[in-house]
Amino acid sequence: MELMKREYQKFINKAKKQMNKIKSILSVFLFGGLMVSCNSDADDLGKNLFDGNSVTGNQVSYDLVAYNINNGDVVRADSYALQRATLGAFTEGQFGMQKSAYVTQVRLSKYAPDFGTNPVVDSVVLEIKPQYDATTKVVTTTDVNHGGQAAKQTLTKYEVVKYGNPATTMNIDVHEIATDLGAVGTERLSSSSVANGVSLMPNQQPKVFSGNVYAVSINKTSDNTNLLTREAGVRIKLDENYFQTKIANKSGAAELSNESNFINYFKGLKISVRENDGYLINFAPNEVTMTMYYTSGGKSNTFSFDLGSSNVHFSQISYNRSSTFNTVMANINSTNGDPLLYMQGMGGPGAEIKLNGAGISDLKRLYKERGAAILSAKVRLYTDTNTWNNSYTKPVGFLVRKQGETDFITDLKTMLGNSNYSLVKAYSTNSNPSYYDIDITKTIKDIIEKEAEAKDLIINIGEYLTSNGNLVSENYNNNVSSPYRAVFVGTNAANNNRPKLMVTYVTK
């Protein structure tokens, strides 16, 4: 910091002779340490650096043209993107109905299994582990008889994280599927569909889900020895008669002899809900389990199925759009902008923002005429309080790229190693309106100082995913499982919360 002050003083003393040097120093400061703009207000940054000198910080804002992008309600939904799967349905007036089911192959944990003499299936349990809120923990302990032993059973209840109407009860169905899912790695879109086979529910009755999950622990009363432990999850009892015929009675048969035969024999299953309104929950697809409990030769046994990463699985997402939504999408104005921006995850619409306008022209003028150095540049978006004044959880992140490009935006690539940098910052997400700042300082500096093309910004709901702590690609993100949506203020001269390009710069 002191070095920069001394360099700047040289600039004051030598005027034009040192102009290029001071620009270089400013550039190194800005892009070697953009975290400064995260730790102090933009208008204080210049004061911190150049207090006592003839440099002032200036803030300007420019209106932006923004309009809707119809993504066709489609997103990649196979295991490449499916870090979290979604299940449920939710309907509201602006976007309409959004419904998600989960489809997966099933493999055997062991091929050519021997179930013993006259195996009898007692029960089959499918379990998913939804994300839950640990702060809602409620513990209940009761005395029970477990296998003829006095024991204490501890139930720990948690509320599942839901998006939508959390008080609703939903009915979960499981079906065998009649569609070949192909090989792992084959791209599948969220609009893909499968044909339902037979119901796997006992008497075709659904699992009633109240929105809670339970962890179970049973300990012997006498010495506290643990007899049973189960993590929190949703346990769905399946039809034991189906598995008696389909699996247990096939011991030694060709259908169970190897992986290829079994996948052709049992193509997979689909988990869905009967309702069209309620909420969406999420879970890790590779943690789904299915266990068959059976007796043979007077002994109790278990056999597990493999529903993990070796299987094809995807989210099947469908929509029934509202008339309001359809009207908006049918009247997109890519020239002058749309007054409202409809943005939604799970393949829903996004927005496009034009950077090349009066703001860029004015910044170029300031750069040429006054040597303006940009300290901060961000796009600010507000949610619309007239159409989106509700308590639904707000989005926390955006996917941002330049129109026509498939790589990360320049700002992300520049700041990959800086843990203090955030491409998007969300404010007042528990209030109405909420607002969001998209930090594109490097992008704007390149446009102004290096004559880079001012390409439009494409914005969608979601956040980027990482592998071993590193961003993978622009297309590797959680949009497919992000249930969030909101209506934002668009290009509307009568609304003070219309999209803005907000810039802080310094001049001599």
Side-chain angles (χ1 to χ4, degrees):
M1 188 71 74
E2 292 299 324
L3 174 62
M4 290 186 177
K5 289 185 177 180
R6 291 197 297 272
E7 293 294 342
Y8 182 74
Q9 192 60 50
K10 290 179 183 179
F11 165 74
I12 296 295
N13 296 336
K14 296 181 181 180
K16 286 186 178 181
K17 185 178 179 180
Q18 297 296 326
M19 179 63 76
N20 290 335
K21 189 173 185 178
I22 191 64
K23 285 182 180 178
S24 176
I25 293 168
L26 279 169
S27 180
V28 170
F29 173 79
L30 289 170
F31 299 118
L34 259 177
M35 77 289 287
V36 175
S37 66
C38 300
N39 297 331
S40 60
D41 292 337
D43 58 350
D44 289 335
L45 187 55
K47 295 178 183 178
N48 293 340
L49 267 179
F50 306 114
D51 191 27
N53 295 320
S54 57
V55 174
T56 58
N58 302 276
Q59 288 187 318
V60 290
S61 65
Y62 305 98
D63 288 343
L64 293 169
V65 173
Y67 56 93
N68 290 286
I69 295 178
N70 190 344
N71 291 319
D73 292 342
V74 174
V75 64
R76 184 169 181 175
D78 57 82
S79 55
Y80 172 80
L82 205 65
Q83 301 299 302
R84 306 292 296 183
T86 49
L87 175 67
F90 175 47
T91 300
E92 41 75 24
Q94 292 298 322
F95 290 86
M97 187 274 288
Q98 184 181 55
K99 190 170 186 175
S100 183
Y102 176 65
V103 179
T104 182
Q105 285 177 330
V106 177
R107 284 169 164 78
L108 298 177
S109 59
K110 178 183 177 182
Y111 289 95
D114 182 3
F115 297 120
T117 305
N118 298 321
V120 176
V121 178
D122 299 312
S123 64
V124 180
V125 177
L126 175 71
E127 183 172 12
I128 62 175
K129 297 182 176 67
Q131 180 185 4
Y132 59 82
D133 182 356
T135 66
T136 63
K137 177 179 179 180
V138 177
V139 178
T140 304
T141 301
T142 56
D143 293 324
V144 296
N145 183 296
H146 184 81
Q149 301 181 83
K152 289 189 179 296
Q153 174 180 278
T154 301
L155 289 180
T156 306
K157 182 178 75 171
Y158 302 95
E159 293 181 14
V160 171
V161 174
K162 313 176 191 73
Y163 184 86
N165 301 313
T168 306
T169 295
M170 290 200 300
N171 292 281
I172 300 175
D173 270 328
V174 181
H175 285 83
E176 181 185 6
I177 62 172
T179 302
D180 185 359
L181 295 182
V184 174
T186 302
E187 181 175 324
R188 278 197 171 268
L189 301 178
S190 57
S191 57
S192 300
S193 61
V194 294
N196 282 357
V198 301
S199 171
L200 301 186
M201 305 303 294
N203 301 315
Q204 300 187 27
Q205 294 303 303
K207 162 74 175 183
V208 178
F209 178 57
S210 62
N212 301 313
V213 290
Y214 295 85
V216 182
S217 178
I218 300 177
N219 288 8
K220 191 189 299 185
T221 303
S222 59
D223 59 7
N224 205 39
T225 300
N226 182 259
L227 302 175
L228 175 69
T229 298
R230 288 178 178 168
E231 297 179 357
V234 179
R235 287 173 276 275
I236 305 170
K237 188 177 184 301
L238 302 181
D239 184 3
E240 65 270 16
N241 295 322
Y242 169 90
F243 284 88
Q244 180 73 52
T245 302
K246 189 84 173 182
I247 304 297
N249 291 350
K250 289 290 184 178
S251 183
E255 290 90 335
L256 276 58
S257 63
N258 59 58
E259 181 177 288
S260 177
N261 285 357
F262 183 73
I263 291 175
N264 288 325
Y265 174 61
F266 185 73
K267 293 181 171 55
L269 56 82
K270 175 182 174 181
I271 309 173
S272 61
V273 300
R274 294 189 175 184
E275 288 74 20
N276 290 324
D277 190 18
Y279 46 79
L280 295 160
I281 64 174
N282 74 84
F283 58 92
N286 291 335
E287 294 180 5
V288 178
T289 62
M290 188 165 70
T291 305
M292 183 175 75
Y293 299 86
Y294 68 99
T295 56
S296 176
K299 294 182 179 180
S300 297
N301 301 279
T302 63
F303 185 84
S304 61
F305 297 82
D306 174 12
L307 281 74
S309 59
S310 59
N311 295 280
V312 174
H313 43 230
F314 71 98
S315 284
Q316 180 181 307
I317 305 171
S318 58
Y319 294 86
N320 184 8
R321 291 301 191 180
S322 69
S323 59
T324 298
F325 179 89
N326 288 332
T327 298
V328 169
M329 292 298 123
N331 293 280
I332 295 173
N333 188 335
S334 59
T335 301
N336 300 316
D338 293 327
L340 293 173
L341 305 176
Y342 281 65
M343 296 177 64
Q344 181 182 28
M346 297 171 65
E352 185 159 343
I353 295 178
K354 294 185 178 183
L355 293 181
N356 192 15
I360 295 299
S361 298
D362 189 52
L363 290 172
K364 287 183 175 181
R365 177 188 62 79
L366 289 169
Y367 176 68
K368 291 177 181 178
E369 294 180 2
R370 301 181 62 190
I374 294 173
L375 299 181
S376 172
K378 54 196 174 186
V379 171
R380 177 165 290 180
L381 299 175
Y382 281 87
T383 57
D384 180 62
T385 54
N386 291 324
T387 57
W388 203 252
N389 191 4
N390 55 55
S391 60
Y392 301 135
T393 304
K394 300 292 198 307
V396 294
F398 295 136
L399 307 166
V400 183
R401 64 177 176 86
K402 294 180 182 178
Q403 199 277 334
E405 296 190 6
T406 58
D407 198 3
F408 292 116
I409 192 170
T410 307
D411 302 81
L412 263 182
K413 291 191 292 184
T414 303
M415 301 303 295
L416 281 178
N418 190 332
S419 60
N420 291 316
Y421 173 77
S422 295
L423 176 63
V424 179
K425 289 185 178 179
Y427 298 91
S428 303
T429 54
N430 292 324
S431 305
N432 293 304
S434 302
Y435 69 96
Y436 300 78
D437 285 343
I438 304 172
D439 189 337
I440 54 169
T441 304
K442 183 69 166 67
T443 293
I444 298 300
K445 280 185 71 70
D446 286 349
I447 293 171
I448 303 305
E449 299 175 5
K450 298 181 181 180
E451 295 294 331
E453 183 181 355
K455 295 183 177 181
D456 294 356
L457 293 181
I458 308 295
I459 302 174
N460 283 292
I461 298 290
E463 296 174 276
Y464 295 105
L465 300 175
T466 61
S467 177
N468 297 321
N470 298 311
L471 292 169
V472 179
S473 75
E474 166 63 36
N475 292 325
Y476 191 61
N477 58 68
N478 71 350
N479 178 277
V480 65
S481 60
S482 182
Y484 311 113
R485 78 286 308 270
V487 181
F488 294 82
V489 179
T491 304
N492 180 356
N495 195 321
N496 290 331
N497 288 341
R498 58 190 178 274
K500 300 278 189 181
L501 175 63
M502 305 179 68
V503 178
T504 300
Y505 66 92
V506 292
T507 60
K508 66 174 183 177

